[in-house]
Amino acid sequence: MTKKRFDFRKKLFIKNRLVILNENTFEEIFSFRLTLMNVFVTFTLGGIFLILVTTFIIAFTPLREFIPGYSSTELKRNATKLAIKSDSLETALKKNEAYLQGVQKVLRGELEYAKFNKDSILAEVDEPSEVNMKASEEEIKLREDVAKTEKESGENKTKKKKSDKK
């Protein structure tokens, strides 16, 4: 087995000549002195170079838009602009609704005109609404049940440990 390995290594470094001849005149056009190792290294480096060039061309040019799954940069830009516009329109709609509700209150007589001010109504819309953070009765009961269950399971574990030690 060692002889086969040695023979293979020897074959890798045996020098060969590659000659290109003119078929009509048998004139030598081109010749190379090569070893199998040189050919192997050249093709390996060439393959790696080709893969790198292809990757860079696809990654940094508009060609990537033809690959399924990639969206165009223009499409992304437009989606961002539309998201910003929709947010601002939503805010404007809330302000208009609050203003119209104030006007309706004045027309129904629920609010005096002197107290009706557009700036105060719009300021109410801009302020975040208060969120009730107090726990409901159901949540309190659930918390008590969970605490009781945890306490019971903890007691059972300690009983098991004591019985295992005996």
Side-chain angles (χ1 to χ4, degrees):
M1 189 161 184
T2 56
K3 187 176 181 184
K4 287 183 181 179
R5 284 186 186 173
F6 183 71
D7 288 342
F8 180 69
R9 287 182 189 163
K10 219 176 181 182
K11 285 181 184 177
L12 280 177
F13 295 104
I14 293 175
K15 293 183 181 178
N16 297 306
R17 179 172 249 167
L18 174 68
V19 179
I20 298 176
L21 299 173
N22 186 346
E23 191 172 323
N24 295 333
T25 61
F26 293 109
E27 180 184 350
E28 185 177 316
I29 297 174
F30 213 63
S31 73
F32 276 117
R33 284 182 63 185
L34 301 171
T35 63
L36 284 176
M37 184 59 99
N38 289 348
V39 173
F40 176 72
V41 169
T42 304
F43 278 117
T44 303
L45 291 176
I48 292 171
F49 178 73
L50 186 65
I51 290 170
L52 287 174
V53 167
T54 305
T55 303
F56 282 115
I57 287 174
I58 290 174
F60 298 112
T61 62
L63 283 176
R64 69 175 170 262
E65 294 173 12
F66 294 109
I67 298 173
Y70 282 122
S71 57
S72 68
T73 53
E74 184 179 343
L75 182 65
K76 288 180 184 178
R77 224 177 286 126
N78 288 340
T80 306
K81 285 181 184 178
L82 288 175
I84 292 169
K85 279 185 183 180
S86 67
D87 286 344
S88 63
L89 287 174
E90 202 172 298
T91 305
L93 181 65
K94 285 180 184 177
K95 287 181 180 181
N96 285 339
E97 286 176 356
Y99 179 71
L100 288 176
Q101 286 175 356
V103 170
Q104 286 175 350
K105 286 181 182 178
V106 169
L107 292 176
R108 281 190 233 125
E110 297 173 7
L111 186 67
E112 293 181 25
Y113 178 73
K115 293 181 181 177
F116 179 70
N117 184 359
K118 183 177 181 180
D119 293 332
S120 64
I121 291 173
L122 295 179
E124 288 176 13
V125 173
D126 289 339
E127 293 176 9
S129 61
E130 293 182 25
V131 179
N132 185 8
M133 295 299 284
K134 293 182 181 178
S136 65
E137 291 179 29
E138 294 173 353
E139 189 175 352
I140 292 171
K141 288 179 184 176
L142 178 66
R143 288 179 184 178
E144 290 172 357
D145 290 342
V146 170
K148 190 185 287 184
T149 311
E150 287 178 354
K151 185 177 180 183
E152 289 173 1
S153 66
E155 289 174 0
N156 291 340
K157 286 181 183 178
T158 55
K159 287 180 185 177
K160 282 185 180 179
K161 286 182 183 178
K162 287 180 182 178
S163 65
D164 291 341
K165 288 181 181 179
K166 289 180 182 180

